Amino acid sequence: AWGSDILSDADGLGRTELQGWEEHVLRTELDAGAVAWYRNPATGRHSLQIPYSTADGIKGMAPDFIFVDQVAGELRASLVDPHGTYLADAVDKLKGLAQYTAEHAQAYHRIQSIALVDDGYLMLNHKDPEIRAAIAGFDGNDSRELFRAYGTRY
């Protein structure tokens, strides 16, 4: 059970099953001062979906978490996605999130993808125009290459 969940129970705790990367991200964000969080469902009407293109057409990716931070006296949302580099569409999802950020960056405090690469967690900051350009121009199929080249420790 976790504190500060937007969908908490009567005891103020959020009850959700998390995988290793997800748990790491949640702990890191709460330790950094996030005032609230939402476990974005993978599908359904309560899920924030970011469009991305594949060879099969347009699909939707759901960033795993929406965190709320206190920034200069305002509550600001951040999208933080523990990103499965092993997925066949991992690069396509990064490109979709980068494009979404280019169009909606001002609505968020942070938009980040997190991945466990080699021996540690790395973060891609989608609000950085140079990183978005690198993602958009990437023609490989191993997203770990992007994290290694442009990621920072998370």
Side-chain angles (χ1 to χ4, degrees):
W2 301 87
S4 303
D5 187 352
I6 289 174
L7 300 178
S8 60
D9 61 17
D11 296 324
L13 298 174
R15 305 194 186 277
T16 187
E17 295 290 326
L18 299 174
Q19 304 302 316
W21 293 16
E22 297 163 335
E23 184 173 330
H24 177 80
V25 167
L26 182 55
R27 282 188 195 285
T28 300
E29 294 296 325
L30 291 176
D31 288 349
V35 297
W37 61 279
Y38 176 66
R39 177 68 166 91
N40 191 32
T43 61
R45 66 184 188 133
H46 300 294
S47 175
L48 171 65
Q49 294 285 312
I50 308 297
Y52 71 98
S53 298
T54 72
D56 299 327
I58 303 294
K59 294 185 178 181
M61 65 91 62
D64 284 358
F65 293 104
I66 302 170
F67 290 98
V68 179
D69 297 290
Q70 186 83 27
V71 180
E74 295 183 11
L75 295 176
R76 299 285 314 273
S78 295
L79 302 180
V80 181
D81 187 45
H83 192 77
T85 56
Y86 56 88
L87 299 170
D89 61 356
V91 171
D92 294 335
K93 288 179 177 178
L94 285 175
K95 288 182 179 213
L97 191 55
Q99 178 61 41
Y100 177 85
T101 303
E103 297 169 13
H104 302 284
Q106 71 286 352
Y108 298 95
H109 174 51
R110 294 175 291 125
I111 301 177
Q112 301 171 332
S113 295
I114 314 298
L116 181 60
V117 177
D118 303 323
D119 62 345
Y121 290 93
L122 297 175
M123 179 269 296
L124 291 175
N125 175 7
H126 291 274
K127 291 189 76 172
D128 182 326
E130 286 183 35
I131 292 174
R132 285 198 312 269
I135 292 169
F138 185 69
D139 62 359
N141 53 14
D142 185 348
S143 65
R144 292 175 299 178
E145 293 177 36
L146 286 164
F147 282 94
R148 286 182 187 120
Y150 300 98
T152 58
R153 289 275 175 212
Y154 178 79

